[in-house]
Structures are given as structure tokens and as C-alpha cells.
Amino acid sequence: MKKNLFIFALLALFACTTQTESTQQKNYIPQTPQLSSDLMTPEVLWSFGRLGSPQVSPDGESVLYTVTYYNIEENKPYRDIYSAQVSGGESKNLTNSPTNEFNTIWRPDGQKVGYISTASGSAQVWEMNPDGSGAKQISEIEGGISGFNYSPDGSKIFYIKSVKLDYNIHDLFPDLPKANARLENDLMYRHWDQWHDYTYQHIFIADYSDGKWGEGKDIMEGERFDSPMKPFGGIEQIAWSADGKILAYTCKKKTGKEYSISTNSDIYFYDVETGQTTNFTEGMMGYDKNPVFSADGKYLAWESMERDGYESDKNRLFVANLETGEKTDFTAEFDQNVHNLSWNEESNAIFFTSNIHGTDEIYHVKLSDGVISRLTDGIHDYQTVEPAGSKLVAQKVSMSQPAELYLVDPETGTDQPLTAVNKGILDQLTMGKVEERWLETTDGKKMHTWVIYPPNFDPNKKYPTLLYCQGGPQGTVSQFWSYRWNFQMMAANGYIIVAPNRRGLPGFGQEWNEQISKDYGGQNIKDYLTAIDELAKEPFVDESRLGAVGASYGGFSVFFLAGNHDGRFKAFISHDGMFNFEYQYLTTEEMWFANWDIGGPFWEKENAAAQRSYTFSPHNFVQNWDTPILVIHGEKDFRVPPDQGMAAFNAAVLRDIPAQFLYFPEENHWVLQAQNGILWQRVFFNWLGKWLKD
């Protein structure tokens, strides 16, 4: 439920907005806005360039990345490919086109850059020289593709293409061409924000030689499964072996109800020579995904969870010796999650990122002794890491800065910027101070909490203050930079923000993370109240002007607090929150989440854990509502369907509680379109201003 892979959302949006674009259209050249104030506004927030997808060159001397700018007037994104020298210097825009390039990747010999563009009318592979010259379309695949990568020796290429295997209503009743209906027989007929379109993502392999393709072979022919896995998987779930003889791919080979209740994905090995497929992680019951082969071909590393049905289980680092078949958990004694695995050049160590106490840091593990070392320490989130010679190239954000690339020294943990995409805007803004505190909870534990102050904060004044309720529920309040839940935007509007890492969040040990399951209205709610009560004691916090805001699980938290806050708050905002647990159980799509975190269906009357969970449903406490509330929801939210928001809004109105309902017919669990995003911010702060300021 936490699904917070924002890059995937951007790729999906690009796919929608570029299908009919042509190369004759004028490119959007962003200009650094000259600001009339040093305070952030929604328009400024949507003017930032969004850096992503870094790829270090084979020789380690340069790095590719993409930057997306939004044209607010046109309400669409423009994405280009850039390059920067690892040694420093000015970055260069390589494409500068009106289409949105993605899946940028180096050819193994370093002589070409491959990428996907829709310039021809469908998503095809293009290649260009590393300096951006000589761009040429090299594929002509019917219907287009969504991802690709070269084999290490450059002799083959895999690509991802949708294959229609299921029958729609017109296949079943061809004499009714104007009929508009669906006929379903099992679950998973819709997922995240899309209805099943009767197709599956399959992997194809083709011969390749200097821009020329052979005929592609579907290595999953006839299989009603997806690889990469929907809705968020990309080419990181697929990997070539060092010799190009094996293609490892991630897949959950289940359908319908069985798929909806299980997280048991596996890594499969496809033998290019024999055409045989084997399940490499058979018997490992949780998520197994994101395989990465070592350069010497001796090892495979991947991310693994132990328990089936638990999407927030500890994300472990497994390494297999491909000669002996031995599989080793290198994080058995490491009480943190691992992400973004990357081998060193010598194939004897792995770099990765991990969340610790509200930040995402870079770590390193040696295969020889299994010792894990923390390389970085600071108030930031590293989002990627990749070796570049003796250094590391890493993407980094903080609450006060959107993503940029940095060169990290693995010996000292220090970094220096490689890019400055947003320097022109940031130099004009004053950001609020970000402070971390440790607060004592009601059960005697210490809870990490971020406090963000308004720019030009005056401790002699009293400020309205917001309790931020995090989603997930297992999603850390780290140093993330958000284009919706942006703490510096809230601070710029004159609010102090209290953002606790309450029970149920990673980065504080698995026990802390797991406590929330089947206890939604319990200790984590007490943690929220501890955070706001402790900060309300400060002389600069106006305890008569407190608000609570949040989305997803945070939206549920707001609904729950609305009926259980004992007069603390004067305004609420809930985005895409659960209001009625029984209805939520029967209308969400990923049933494994509801079964694990709620405990099971409401009709299991002998299931004590589940029955207790349903008592926490916010609709049970509507009779206690007495505080103005803004409810926000997107129509395409299939995780927490929009009827949840409508029901909460209706309940408030029927109870004569001041309320508004902001409804987005084209948005999902997030808000991705530029003008909708700006509208969201305006309504958000208008509501808070009305009840906490006016």
C-alpha cells in the first residue's frame, strides 16, 4: 500500500502524454523564474527540474541522467537526456526534443547511448552518440515497447512488450461491436490505476549488432504473467548474466485470487541457448526481485523478503554463488532494509542504500567477511548508488532540495555535487530549518521526529502547527522531497510541521516496523498524539491552532483522529484515506495487504485480530466528529477507492461539520498532473488558512 515509486508514475505519465507528439512540435525550453519573494509557492514548486535515471558510462568517466520540466500552461512534462563528466564541468542536454525520452542506457562498448522515444509515433529504441549527435531509430516493433537492455557482449538485446492473451467483450461477442462492458471471472481485474487491458508484459530477446535487430522471441510465450511486475516494476527486475547466456527476470507466476493474496514473486533464469526456464528462488516465499549479476559472472545478488503476504517484511540482501548454488543472506544480523544494489568492479563487494533513523544512507558489504559498513551520514536521502572508478555516483535529495547527482568518496563518505539542475531557483528561496528530535512515547520508547520551521522563524512568535501523518503505513518519514507533501511548502505558508516516525515505519528496526500491523488504532495513534502534545508545549507553538494532515494511511489516521482527538485540532485534511474498513476490504485490489495488516476478512467472527482491527474503522467514530475537514480523493485510486472519501465527506456534511471535497476524476492515489498539483496546493492552504489563521 505504501507504493511510493514516483519515477514510475512519471514514466506512466510520459507514456500517456507522448503518444501523439511529433518531432515537428516546439520543444519546451525552461527558463529559471525570477521570483518576487523568497518563499516557495505552488508555481515555484512545479518549476523545479526533476532529475532521475542516472547511468554511469562503462569507462566510469561520465554519467547520463534525465531531467523533466513541466510546462504548466500546457499541463504536460518535457523530459530530456543529459550527460555530465564525473570529473566535473557543465552538463549537456543531449536530446533537447519535444518528446519524452526514457530508459536511457549505455551500450556496453560505450560508443552509443540507447533510449526509448516516441518521436516516430510509438515507443521505439533509438541510439545516439555520447555527445548527442547521430540520433537514429533502430527498432520498429509493432505496438511499441516499454523497456530494453543490451547483453554485456552487445550481441543480444531484451525488450518488454505487451502481448494480448485474454478475451475482451468484443472477442466473446463479435456481433456486438458497440457494446461497452467487461465480463470478469476472477480478482485483479484492476490494479493501482488501470483496468486489466487483456495484455501481459512479456520479455523478448533478439539478436543485435551495431544498431541492427533480429527477430524477437517471446521467452514467456503463452504465459498469463507480467515481467516486470505491475504496477511499478521496470528493467531493474531483469538482468543479463556476465556472459549473456542467462537472462534473470522477476515474476509472480500467479493469477486472479491467488495473485491478489500473495507476494511470492521469484527470480527465473532463462537459458538463451536452450530456451529453458528455471525458478532460481523456488521455495523462497516472499518477494524476490531486482537481480544483479557480478561482473565476473560468479555471483547473483537480489532483494528478498521471507514471508509470503507481507509486503513490508525486512528487505534482505541475498547473494548466490552460481558455481555452488549456495544462497547467503548477508543481512541476517542487519536490522534494516536494503535497496539499490550495485556491485563493485572487482565483484567482491556490494554497495546499497538503507534507511536509518529517518535518512537513507549508502552502505557497503564485503563478500569475504560479510561485514556491513555505513559510508555516509547526514540529513539527506541517497536514492541511488553506482560505482564510477574509485568513486560513487549517487542521487541525493533532502526536505530542502530536490534530486541532484553527487560524487561520493567511499573512503570518507563525503560528497561533492555533479549537477546543479535547480540552483537558479534554490538560490532565490529561503528554506525553513529542519530539526530532528527524539520524543518519549507512552510506552517508554524513543521516537524520532522531524520538526520543520517556517523560513525566517522567530521564536518569540506563536505559529499554527501541523501534525503530518505518514502513509504506507510502512513508509519512513525520511528526508524525501515531495511535489505534493512538501514540508518546505508548508513551512513557507507559515506553519511549523511535526513529522513523527511513529510505530510502523522502517529504519528503526523490524520490531518497530511490524508493531503497527493489526493495531491501526493503537500505539501508532498514541505516537502521533505524543508528538503533537510534546511540541505544543513549546512557547512558539500556538496550541489553539493545531491541524492534522495526511494521505493514504495518513488519510486514515486523520479520519481516525477526527473522532478521537479530544479537542486538540482545529482543522483536518485527509487525502485518499480509508474511512470504512469493511468496504475497503472488498474493494481494494492487493488483498495480501488487507489480510496481513488488518488480519483478514470481517466475516471471520472467530478471528480475534481481524475483529479488533475492524473496531478501528473511522466510520465507527463519526458521532464524535466536531472539527472542519477537507477530504481529497482521485477517481482512479483503486488502492483506496474514491467512495471512501465520498463517504467521509458525506458523513461530515450530514453531521453539520464544515467540510469540502476535492475530487480529481483523472488522478490516482497520487496527483501527477501539473495544474491539478497546483490546484491541490491552493485548496490545501486555503483550507488551513481559513481555520488556523483567519
Side-chain angles (χ1 to χ4, degrees):
M1 190 168 180
K2 56 182 177 290
K3 313 302 186 187
N4 56 4
L5 297 177
F6 182 67
I7 292 176
F8 176 88
L10 285 179
L11 292 181
L13 185 58
F14 298 146
C16 293
T17 59
T18 60
Q19 291 299 311
T20 60
E21 292 176 349
S22 76
T23 56
Q24 301 303 311
Q25 290 177 304
K26 182 180 179 181
N27 189 24
Y28 174 60
I29 307 297
Q31 301 293 323
T32 299
Q34 297 303 306
L35 308 185
S36 59
S37 168
D38 66 342
L39 299 180
M40 183 124 46
T41 67
E43 292 76 16
V44 171
L45 184 63
W46 279 82
S47 296
F48 283 112
R50 307 185 184 193
L51 181 148
S53 306
Q55 294 280 332
V56 175
S57 61
D59 61 11
E61 294 184 359
S62 60
V63 58
L64 299 171
Y65 60 96
T66 60
V67 180
T68 304
Y69 289 97
Y70 277 80
N71 185 315
I72 296 173
E73 182 179 357
E74 295 179 2
N75 200 37
K76 67 179 184 181
Y78 288 84
R79 189 181 205 221
D80 282 322
I81 301 170
Y82 290 72
S83 69
Q85 293 299 306
V86 172
S87 59
E90 292 292 322
S91 298
K92 181 180 180 181
N93 186 334
L94 302 183
T95 50
N96 196 24
S97 76
T99 55
N100 289 299
E101 297 84 16
F102 62 99
N103 200 124
T104 307
I105 199 155
W106 289 95
R107 202 167 72 178
D109 61 8
Q111 299 302 304
K112 294 287 183 180
V113 173
Y115 59 96
I116 295 178
S117 171
T118 59
S120 65
S122 65
Q124 301 293 336
V125 176
W126 289 60
E127 285 183 340
M128 62 181 170
N129 297 321
D131 65 359
S133 65
K136 179 182 178 181
Q137 181 180 336
I138 66 168
S139 75
E140 190 62 57
I141 300 169
E142 184 179 359
I145 67 173
S146 58
F148 80 99
N149 202 352
Y150 305 95
S151 63
D153 64 359
S155 68
K156 296 187 183 298
I157 199 165
F158 79 73
Y159 61 91
I160 303 163
K161 174 180 166 58
S162 292
V163 177
K164 186 174 183 296
L165 295 177
D166 292 343
Y167 294 115
N168 62 29
I169 204 74
H170 298 125
D171 296 322
L172 297 171
F173 302 97
D175 61 325
L176 301 174
K178 295 184 179 181
N180 183 12
R182 299 180 63 93
L183 185 62
E184 304 297 345
N185 296 293
D186 208 340
L187 299 183
M188 297 309 297
Y189 48 84
R190 65 180 191 176
H191 196 185
W192 186 245
D193 63 358
Q194 294 183 340
W195 290 83
H196 175 54
D197 63 357
Y198 312 103
T199 70
Y200 298 86
Q201 292 185 146
H202 277 195
I203 303 168
F204 289 71
I205 294 179
D207 290 331
Y208 170 86
S209 177
D210 196 23
K212 295 181 172 57
W213 290 49
E215 183 178 355
K217 178 183 179 181
D218 183 354
I219 71 171
M220 303 169 64
E221 186 173 6
E223 296 186 8
R224 285 176 164 79
F225 313 120
D226 292 292
S227 185
M229 298 188 298
K230 293 180 179 178
F232 301 109
I235 64 168
E236 75 284 349
Q237 294 189 352
I238 308 169
W240 288 103
S241 62
D243 58 10
K245 294 181 179 180
I246 298 293
L247 189 70
Y249 67 92
T250 308
C251 189
K252 187 166 68 171
K253 297 197 173 185
K254 302 176 184 294
T255 60
K257 175 185 174 182
E258 186 181 11
Y259 186 103
S260 77
I261 62 176
S262 174
T263 58
N264 184 17
S265 66
D266 283 296
I267 294 173
Y268 292 83
F269 279 10
Y270 175 80
D271 189 308
V272 177
E273 294 179 353
T274 67
Q276 298 298 308
T277 299
T278 57
N279 185 348
F280 184 73
T281 56
E282 187 171 8
M284 301 180 73
M285 301 308 296
Y287 275 127
D288 290 284
K289 60 182 181 179
N290 302 344
V292 187
F293 286 96
S294 60
D296 64 6
K298 295 181 180 180
Y299 302 100
L300 177 76
W302 73 98
E303 298 173 24
S304 176
M305 293 185 182
E306 182 177 7
R307 290 168 284 185
D308 189 9
Y310 186 26
E311 71 170 28
S312 297
D313 205 354
K314 177 183 172 183
N315 209 39
R316 307 171 296 176
L317 167 55
F318 259 78
V319 177
N321 184 318
L322 297 176
E323 295 177 353
T324 66
E326 181 183 10
K327 300 180 177 74
T328 303
D329 177 6
F330 275 81
T331 50
E333 304 301 321
F334 184 66
D335 198 14
Q336 297 171 219
N337 294 322
V338 303
H339 301 283
N340 304 307
L341 310 181
S342 185
W343 286 93
N344 68 350
E345 295 178 355
E346 296 77 22
S347 299
N348 60 16
I350 298 171
F351 298 99
F352 62 90
T353 63
S354 180
N355 184 274
I356 176 69
H357 295 171
T359 66
D360 289 342
E361 306 293 349
I362 298 174
Y363 287 76
H364 171 263
V365 60
K366 295 180 180 179
L367 266 60
S368 58
D369 56 16
V371 173
I372 295 175
S373 302
R374 177 174 171 176
L375 303 184
T376 61
D377 187 6
I379 307 299
H380 52 229
D381 281 358
Y382 283 104
Q383 298 177 313
T384 67
V385 58
E386 187 177 2
S390 62
K391 306 295 184 181
L392 304 171
V393 170
Q395 181 174 310
K396 186 176 80 169
V397 302
S398 74
M399 290 180 182
S400 304
Q401 178 185 286
E404 297 284 1
L405 294 182
Y406 286 78
L407 191 64
V408 180
D409 186 330
E411 298 298 325
T412 65
T414 58
D415 64 25
Q416 61 187 57
L418 282 179
T419 62
V421 173
N422 293 299
K423 186 177 187 301
I425 298 178
L426 291 171
D427 283 350
Q428 301 178 66
L429 293 174
T430 300
M431 296 292 185
K433 175 186 175 183
V434 177
E435 173 184 279
E436 58 181 341
R437 298 192 181 194
W438 289 88
L439 307 176
E440 185 171 349
T441 62
T442 58
D443 58 347
K445 300 183 183 299
K446 295 295 184 181
M447 176 176 63
H448 180 274
T449 300
W450 294 110
V451 181
I452 303 91
Y453 296 89
N456 308 308
F457 171 72
D458 183 349
N460 296 313
K461 294 183 179 179
K462 282 187 173 291
Y463 292 86
T465 298
L466 303 177
L467 172 67
Y468 169 73
C469 302
Q470 173 70 334
Q474 297 92 351
T476 313
V477 186
S478 64
Q479 277 290 310
F480 61 77
W481 172 274
S482 171
Y483 287 91
R484 189 167 56 262
W485 296 95
N486 188 288
F487 297 129
Q488 291 292 355
M489 172 67 74
M490 299 179 198
N493 279 269
Y495 297 96
I496 293 173
I497 302 92
V498 181
N501 273 293
R502 45 101 179 129
R503 228 59 60 100
L505 298 184
F508 304 89
Q510 197 62 18
E511 180 183 352
W512 184 275
N513 186 59
E514 293 193 14
Q515 191 283 329
I516 197 170
S517 297
K518 306 173 187 66
D519 190 38
Y520 276 16
Q523 185 59 51
N524 77 101
I525 298 295
K526 296 177 183 178
D527 291 346
Y528 279 137
L529 296 177
T530 291
I532 195 64
D533 288 348
E534 286 301 307
L535 266 296
K537 296 176 183 177
E538 295 287 3
F540 46 76
V541 170
D542 188 342
E543 62 181 338
S544 68
R545 295 187 293 161
L546 304 179
V549 301
S552 193
Y553 183 85
F556 148 75
S557 301
V558 170
F559 285 150
F560 186 87
L561 288 171
N564 297 276
H565 69 105
D566 295 326
R568 286 176 174 85
F569 300 104
K570 297 300 184 290
F572 291 116
I573 299 179
S574 173
H575 180 137
D576 292 349
M578 296 179 294
F579 176 69
N580 185 313
F581 281 9
E582 293 187 4
Y583 188 71
Q584 169 71 11
Y585 185 86
L586 292 176
T587 54
T588 193
E589 6 81 283
E590 293 181 351
M591 297 306 302
W592 67 75
F593 177 84
N595 282 336
W596 190 279
D597 257 39
I598 298 297
F602 55 86
W603 56 80
E604 292 183 353
K605 300 302 182 183
E606 302 304 314
N607 183 339
Q611 292 304 313
R612 178 174 180 267
S613 285
Y614 287 104
T615 66
F616 298 138
S617 180
H619 82 282
N620 291 325
F621 305 97
V622 168
Q623 68 276 9
N624 300 332
W625 284 21
D626 58 5
T627 303
I629 187 166
L630 167 64
V631 179
I632 308 172
H633 225 109
E635 176 63 31
K636 294 183 178 179
D637 184 356
F638 301 157
R639 185 61 44 82
V640 182
D643 285 0
Q644 295 281 333
M646 294 177 186
F649 170 70
N650 292 356
V653 173
L654 291 169
R655 291 270 298 119
D656 294 322
I657 305 297
Q660 281 188 336
F661 181 48
L662 178 58
Y663 167 76
F664 292 103
E666 296 180 342
E667 300 288 1
N668 57 23
H669 202 57
W670 303 325
V671 178
L672 302 179
Q673 297 182 47
Q675 292 192 19
N676 283 345
I678 292 172
L679 172 65
W680 187 96
Q681 297 282 353
R682 290 180 183 177
V683 173
F684 184 95
F685 290 112
N686 285 345
W687 184 258
L688 292 178
K690 180 177 181 179
W691 300 105
L692 300 184
K693 287 184 176 181
D694 292 348

